[in-house]
Amino acid sequence: MTNIMPDQIMTHNQNNSTKTQQAEKPWNGRFTEPTDAFVEAFTASVSFDQRMYQQDIDGSIAHAKMLAHVDVLTEDERDTIIDGLEQIRQKIQCGEFNWSIKLEDVHMNIEAALTDLIGITGKKLHTGRSRNDQVATDIRLYLRDEVDHIINAILGLQNSLINLAEREADTIMPGFTHLQTAQPVTFGHHMLAWFENLERDRSRFIDARKRINIMPLGAAALAGTTYPIDREFTARELGFDYVCENSLDAVSDRDFAIELTANAALLMTHLSRFSEELVLWASAQFNFIELSDSFCTGSSIMPQKKNPDVPELVRGKTGRVNGHLISLLTLMKGQPLAYNKDNQEDKEPLFDTVDTLKGCLKVYADMMQHVSVNKEVMREAAIRGFSTATDLADYLVRAGVAFRDAHEVVGRAVRLGVDTKRDLSEISLTELQQFSNRIQADVFEVLTLEGSVSARNHIGGTAPEQVRAAVKRARSRISNEEPSAK
Ligand code: ARG
């Protein structure tokens, strides 16, 4: 977080005599006393909202064009404003802009710089506008860009998983319930389960974009404006799909930010669960997979260690994003209509959510491309866990035994396997027939891992053939849908 706290800028003299220059404040007309320096720093947001300078300038240019379109500004004034704003954009881009906390936020810093640069015409830019609709517009423009990056980053990870699933369509591992070996599954099938989680996440972000891309400008402070503004004109200039219908709602709504953060929290929860699996699988005890060295670190004291830092960190960062969701919900819950200064607190959680999510998705997409799979170890684990027990029960049912009786028979066979340290497929036919005379020589076809997985040959099943078909469908699902309306 980059928030400047008052104690960082207060070096001495913390009493009320520490006053700041009042002349620069655009709103100081009705004030007789200057702002306390501590309060000035406490209320400023420029240290973090300067991140939205591009959106702020784009919004101002569109607003100036609209004002000229409805004859509130002359064409010359419009061009002078646009030219000045473009110069300011350049300056900020080159790191030559002096941000001042005396000017509170990104909006007033840029506006004051414009007036410094072009004189009185700069003071006309804010006609028919308020910082309340301005900031709401900036956040929406910012999130619209970011949501497209997020959607693309999800696609990147989905692609890695599809490739891995295709490569490992035949690889058999134990599938778990309660973290106990349940039935054999294919590793490709397991990877595609995570693909499905991400596909739902992606569709949630695509959906949220619709509610982000609506324009508050024109609401002004809260009630609209007396100028003959053309909101549709500004919305077209900025690429918004619609204008907000109600001015009070326009300046106070932050649902879109909460929604994006909720989607992010759910996505992070998925990555956290996935991380938990990777951490387990990469342990010496499981040894199912190996993460590439470039995604792990060693220990400064234990030479044998190779720690799965990346999945661990992603799991840890989930708490941070979940926290941001709670921050935003709590931020809004007590606010009456319309704008309240509380809303300034929306930005840091939102920015950190976006940064965290993009970082996690990127690192995951790269990491999953470099996972190596220990096929033999996973196979062994599937055999040791009696993972084909259900297959034997199903075999008995097909031979006319009621399922509950079949369950009992197999239970006794497993007991023998445990006692004699053998897998079901290693128990002889005569021994198996002691438990049920319905068992014939063909039983061994279902007791193999390959027989077990390939028998689950329907849409959504784990058979290698189905995994390959699902990989194909997954590829077309992610290529058909464009992430953004652009
Ligand atoms: N920095 C403010 C924010 O982030 C901008 C809007 C301020 N509006 C006001 N009426 N003080 O919300």
Side-chain angles (χ1 to χ4, degrees):
M1 299 267 168
T2 49
N3 198 0
I4 296 175
M5 285 310 288
D7 54 352
Q8 287 175 261
I9 58 137
M10 291 287 292
T11 47
H12 58 88
N13 200 4
Q14 304 213 352
N15 62 38
N16 273 354
S17 68
T18 313
K19 301 299 184 193
T20 58
Q21 287 300 310
Q22 197 63 15
E24 302 168 37
K25 308 264 191 247
W27 41 251
N28 78 348
R30 65 100 63 220
F31 286 76
T32 49
E33 275 196 76
T35 320
D36 181 275
F38 186 89
V39 171
E40 190 168 68
F42 184 78
T43 53
S45 55
V46 67
S47 62
F48 50 87
D49 67 14
Q50 57 181 263
R51 179 193 280 238
M52 303 191 299
Y53 78 89
Q54 295 279 15
Q55 291 79 11
D56 197 68
I57 290 172
D58 290 343
S60 289
I61 290 176
H63 181 66
K65 284 184 180 168
M66 184 279 289
L67 290 178
H69 176 70
V70 298
D71 295 329
V72 171
L73 290 180
T74 67
E75 290 186 357
D76 277 352
E77 286 170 334
R78 173 197 64 195
D79 294 343
T80 311
I81 287 173
I82 295 175
D83 186 54
L85 287 169
E86 290 298 358
Q87 287 184 48
I88 292 168
R89 197 201 299 270
Q90 287 296 323
K91 250 186 130 174
I92 300 173
Q93 266 162 358
C94 309
E96 287 164 11
F97 190 86
N98 274 333
W99 298 101
S100 159
I101 63 158
K102 289 191 201 310
L103 290 162
E104 227 175 288
D105 54 26
V106 61
H107 324 292
M108 294 209 295
N109 267 268
I110 290 176
E111 197 191 321
L114 182 68
T115 302
D116 275 355
L117 197 64
I118 65 171
I120 184 134
T121 308
K123 295 187 179 178
K124 297 189 177 181
L125 171 63
H126 212 52
T127 313
R129 183 176 81 166
S130 153
R131 273 186 298 153
N132 298 353
D133 57 347
Q134 188 179 356
V135 69
T137 302
D138 289 3
I139 306 172
R140 285 172 183 269
L141 288 173
Y142 164 80
L143 283 186
R144 185 181 70 189
D145 289 344
E146 292 297 355
V147 85
D148 291 342
H149 293 141
I150 291 168
I151 290 166
N152 280 321
I154 297 173
L155 283 169
L157 175 52
Q158 285 183 304
N159 258 314
S160 295
L161 294 179
I162 292 175
N163 294 339
L164 187 55
E166 186 172 46
R167 202 179 82 201
E168 307 295 342
D170 295 288
T171 305
I172 293 177
M173 67 182 286
F176 298 96
T177 61
H178 313 268
L179 205 56
Q180 308 287 316
T181 302
Q183 293 170 358
V185 294
T186 47
F187 190 79
H189 192 55
H190 196 117
M191 290 303 108
L192 289 181
W194 289 121
F195 169 90
E196 290 300 324
N197 280 261
L198 291 165
E199 187 60 358
R200 290 191 296 278
D201 290 321
R202 192 168 70 91
S203 94
R204 269 185 284 271
F205 281 104
I206 291 171
D207 201 53
R209 192 187 194 281
K210 296 180 200 153
R211 282 172 292 280
I212 291 171
N213 202 27
I214 305 176
M215 189 189 76
L217 271 182
L222 76 164
T225 174
T226 55
Y227 298 94
I229 56 170
D230 183 343
R231 298 184 69 205
E232 302 286 348
F233 178 100
T234 323
R236 269 195 306 278
E237 283 292 317
L238 290 170
F240 280 113
D241 295 330
Y242 307 101
V243 301
C244 298
E245 283 279 342
N246 180 293
S247 62
L248 294 165
D249 182 49
V251 290
S252 64
D253 168 29
R254 295 292 183 273
D255 289 5
F256 61 92
I258 296 178
E259 198 178 338
L260 182 122
T261 309
N263 294 348
L266 193 44
L267 201 170
M268 287 300 296
T269 300
H270 294 151
L271 292 186
S272 183
R273 297 181 62 189
F274 196 178
S275 295
E276 176 64 13
E277 293 192 332
L278 297 181
V279 170
L280 278 172
W281 294 347
S283 69
Q285 288 66 26
F286 270 80
N287 194 26
F288 283 7
I289 59 163
E290 189 153 352
L291 299 172
S292 150
D293 282 0
S294 48
F295 292 87
C296 299
T297 61
S299 157
S300 51
I301 176 168
M302 297 165 282
Q304 84 283 12
K305 292 276 287 255
K306 177 172 158 185
N307 297 328
D309 290 45
V310 168
E312 287 175 287
L313 259 181
V314 170
R315 192 175 57 190
K317 283 175 189 290
T318 305
R320 178 167 170 152
V321 175
N322 289 356
H324 294 327
L325 173 60
I326 298 298
S327 297
L328 290 177
L329 286 167
T330 313
L331 172 66
M332 296 311 292
K333 75 175 276 297
Q335 287 193 46
L337 295 179
Y339 177 85
N340 302 282
K341 183 78 169 181
D342 314 38
N343 284 340
Q344 185 163 289
E345 286 289 307
D346 62 358
K347 287 165 205 66
E348 287 167 292
L350 206 48
F351 294 160
D352 189 66
T353 296
V354 167
D355 292 344
T356 305
L357 192 61
K358 285 198 303 186
C360 291
L361 285 166
K362 185 194 161 5
V363 77
Y364 238 85
D366 295 346
M367 181 175 68
M368 294 315 292
Q369 266 176 16
H370 298 99
V371 166
S372 53
V373 172
N374 299 333
K375 295 183 209 271
E376 271 316 303
V377 177
M378 291 202 287
R379 214 193 134 70
E380 257 312 296
I383 291 174
R384 263 190 285 114
F386 298 99
S387 62
T388 56
T390 317
D391 297 85
L392 178 55
D394 290 345
Y395 170 91
L396 288 166
V397 169
R398 282 196 298 277
V401 181
F403 183 77
R404 281 290 160 229
D405 293 335
H407 190 286
E408 168 76 26
V409 167
V410 179
R412 283 192 276 133
V414 166
R415 161 103 300 175
L416 175 66
V418 172
D419 291 346
T420 57
K421 294 198 173 20
R422 283 179 299 170
D423 171 48
L424 287 178
S425 63
E426 291 162 347
I427 299 175
S428 72
L429 182 59
T430 352
E431 282 173 296
L432 287 173
Q433 283 171 338
Q434 288 166 12
F435 301 115
S436 167
N437 57 14
R438 304 289 175 99
I439 298 177
Q440 303 299 318
D442 62 353
V443 74
F444 294 104
E445 285 163 32
V446 308
L447 291 183
T448 64
L449 297 175
E450 283 71 16
S452 170
V453 291
S454 53
R456 287 161 171 83
N457 194 12
H458 52 78
I459 290 188
T462 194
E465 193 184 322
Q466 289 299 330
V467 173
R468 276 184 274 273
V471 159
K472 250 197 189 145
R473 286 195 303 274
R475 284 213 171 98
S476 88
R477 282 157 77 194
I478 64 173
S479 59
N480 287 347
E481 256 176 89
E482 283 302 311
S484 73
K486 277 179 198 160

